[in-house]
Amino acid sequence: RAGYAVAEAGDGGQGFQQALETMPDLIVLDVMLPEIDGFAVCELLRRNERTARIPVILLTACTTEDSRVLGFEAGADDY
């Protein structure tokens, strides 16, 4: 209703491909994804010149300190 276009992906690989194709303004990424987990997707996004500057928020049920550290090390902007 606020005018945002939202796209969804069923797994990490699809999410990465979709980001390359659509170049979103923001990516909200779960850590626990099939195929490629959210940490790896975030790293792929950061390594790719086209997607490196897209803000990534990891939104997940993984709340351990280790998970948070891994998320920020992967390049997430927030966890």
Side-chain angles (χ1 to χ4, degrees):
R1 295 188 302 186
Y4 297 105
V6 178
E8 297 179 27
D11 63 54
Q14 288 176 355
F16 178 67
Q17 287 302 316
Q18 196 168 74
L20 288 173
E21 293 169 11
T22 63
M23 295 301 295
D25 294 320
L26 171 70
I27 296 172
V28 179
L29 185 61
D30 192 353
V31 169
M32 296 180 287
L33 294 171
E35 303 297 322
I36 304 172
D37 70 30
F39 298 123
V41 173
C42 191
E43 288 175 358
L44 289 170
L45 291 165
R46 292 300 181 233
R47 289 183 192 152
N48 187 288
E49 187 176 300
R50 293 183 60 217
T51 58
R53 291 194 172 107
I54 299 172
V56 176
I57 298 173
L58 293 177
L59 183 64
T60 183
C62 292
T63 59
T64 66
E65 186 66 28
D66 289 343
S67 293
R68 290 177 57 91
V69 169
L70 285 173
F72 287 118
E73 286 177 350
D77 294 285
D78 205 351
Y79 191 99

